Amino acid sequence: MIDVQRLRILRAVAEHGSFNRAAAALLLTPSAVSQHIAALERSLGHPVAVRSSRGVTLTEPGRLLVEAAETISAELDQVRHAIDRLTAPRPRLTVATFTSGGRHLLPGALDRFVAAYPEVELTLLESEPEAAVPMVRSGAADLALAYHLDGPPPVRPDRRPGLDWIPLMDDPLWLVLPSGHRLADRASLGPAELASDRWVLGCLKTEAFLRRYAELAGFELRVAASTTDYFFAQTLVGAGVGVSLVPHVSLAPSPGLVAVRVEPPRPARRIGVVLPRGRHSRPYARALTDALTATATATATATATVPETTPATEHGVRLVTRYGEPGVTRPVS
């Protein structure tokens, strides 16, 4: 039988790349770590780690064991949190969410949820997807409102077994300019047309996207300010510091700003919910996911195509349509 404690030690060796660093992290001696790994290899009948002057390299059996150790650790953490919930005086639900999603999607969903389940004690944790997904995996959160830009979602069966990704909506990105900008009257723009401008960054992920785009388009991204808050970024744009790339749900009304549609292929954040799979998914988490789905559907409908001659209002700004979809947003006068 494989010892769970020895799997934990092997996982630490893989994470830190050496017996000495793993020992320090686990508050053990290097000799104790070495003995545990040797005992694990004897019980398995195969070597799991190879030591060299450059550190420790896992063998293929060792890599398989580390993957199993991560799954087992997550399962045990989930069980521990489930037992804690069983002994709580009231049912509890813990939600991890990124900031702009929490601001724009959660309130409407929580109104529905609280009305239906007033007995549930809610806890909300502000967290970016990189931290929120492991929280669901460990049981520290019952669900996470998360997103990704390009590429696959943050949860895939082959990468994070035991979790499900429930897509909610696409949140298109807009180019936000000062109202007096030379290109403010355009229906749409490609970011390359702003190559001579300085940029205000509102998120590390949009920065990564912009840098890849700039490299492909052959221009150097000039950064005037880097923030982790889209609303702060837009105040800087309004002050004339630069231009920015902002998701639709984070657009802030201001008489000094214009939001212009990005030319195809138009980038978007893909927003979704991360849930534990199968028996670990709680009914309350599923109920809140249903409420989020309804709120996201309403939000997506509000950003969908409107008749070309009819101005619509969203977040306090007027949407002027071009080519059958929202094009340029201007403040309502």
Side-chain angles (χ1 to χ4, degrees):
M1 180 179 293
I2 298 174
D3 187 279
V4 174
Q5 172 67 3
R6 288 168 183 160
L7 285 180
R8 187 173 74 93
I9 292 172
L10 178 63
R11 185 182 177 192
V13 169
E15 179 181 354
H16 296 283
S18 81
F19 282 20
N20 288 344
R21 288 193 292 271
L26 295 171
L27 302 180
L28 298 172
T29 64
S31 175
V33 168
S34 180
Q35 290 172 21
H36 278 292
I37 297 300
L40 178 61
E41 290 176 329
R42 286 195 299 273
S43 67
L44 189 66
H46 296 279
V48 298
V50 178
R51 301 177 74 171
S52 70
S53 58
R54 295 189 298 272
V56 175
T57 302
L58 295 183
T59 64
E60 187 59 28
R63 283 189 287 272
L64 291 173
L65 281 177
V66 168
E67 291 177 7
E70 291 173 349
T71 300
I72 291 169
S73 177
E75 291 274 341
L76 291 174
D77 285 341
Q78 286 183 344
V79 169
R80 179 174 59 82
H81 285 290
I83 292 172
D84 289 342
R85 286 192 293 264
L86 286 174
T87 59
R90 294 177 57 188
R92 295 183 298 190
L93 186 70
T94 300
V95 181
T97 180
F98 63 101
T99 305
S100 56
R103 175 169 177 163
H104 291 283
L105 295 179
L106 266 181
L110 290 176
D111 281 345
R112 293 183 174 91
F113 181 84
V114 171
Y117 305 99
E119 73 279 10
V120 175
E121 181 180 286
L122 283 164
T123 299
L124 302 179
L125 306 173
E126 183 180 351
S127 181
E128 285 295 301
E130 293 79 7
V133 172
M135 290 168 66
V136 178
R137 183 167 171 77
S138 71
D142 296 298
L143 76 158
L145 185 60
Y147 68 92
H148 67 103
L149 282 170
D150 47 6
V155 169
R156 292 188 301 174
D158 58 332
R159 290 181 56 190
R160 293 186 183 273
L163 298 178
D164 284 327
W165 170 258
I166 312 298
L168 294 180
M169 63 174 288
D170 283 356
D171 182 19
L173 300 181
W174 295 76
L175 290 164
V176 177
L177 318 175
S179 57
H181 193 277
R182 68 188 185 281
L183 299 176
D185 289 330
R186 290 279 297 276
S188 64
L189 285 170
E193 296 181 82
L194 299 168
S196 62
D197 289 83
R198 301 186 75 199
W199 288 81
V200 177
L201 306 175
C203 173
L204 293 177
K205 292 184 181 64
T206 53
E207 176 184 2
F209 167 81
L210 276 170
R211 290 196 182 280
R212 288 195 301 272
Y213 183 97
E215 183 178 359
L216 290 172
F219 71 92
E220 182 179 353
L221 189 70
R222 300 168 61 236
V223 177
S226 183
T227 80
T228 57
D229 184 335
Y230 284 117
F231 303 100
F232 178 38
Q234 289 172 88
T235 63
L236 295 178
V237 173
V241 174
V243 299
S244 192
L245 190 66
V246 177
H248 186 93
V249 300
S250 299
L251 290 176
S254 168
L257 296 178
V258 172
V260 181
R261 180 171 58 89
V262 182
E263 290 183 348
R266 191 178 187 186
R269 294 193 304 186
R270 274 72 185 182
I271 298 177
V273 173
V274 179
L275 286 171
R277 180 173 299 158
R279 61 190 175 87
H280 292 299
S281 180
R282 304 181 63 217
Y284 291 125
R286 289 286 178 181
L288 182 55
T289 300
D290 292 341
L292 281 165
T293 300
T295 301
T297 299
T299 301
T301 300
T303 66
T305 301
V306 295
E308 186 168 352
T309 58
T310 304
T313 299
E314 176 72 14
H315 301 312
V317 294
R318 182 170 297 156
L319 306 185
V320 181
T321 61
R322 303 282 197 279
Y323 313 116
E325 70 173 78
V328 181
T329 67
R330 290 190 179 281
V332 175
S333 57

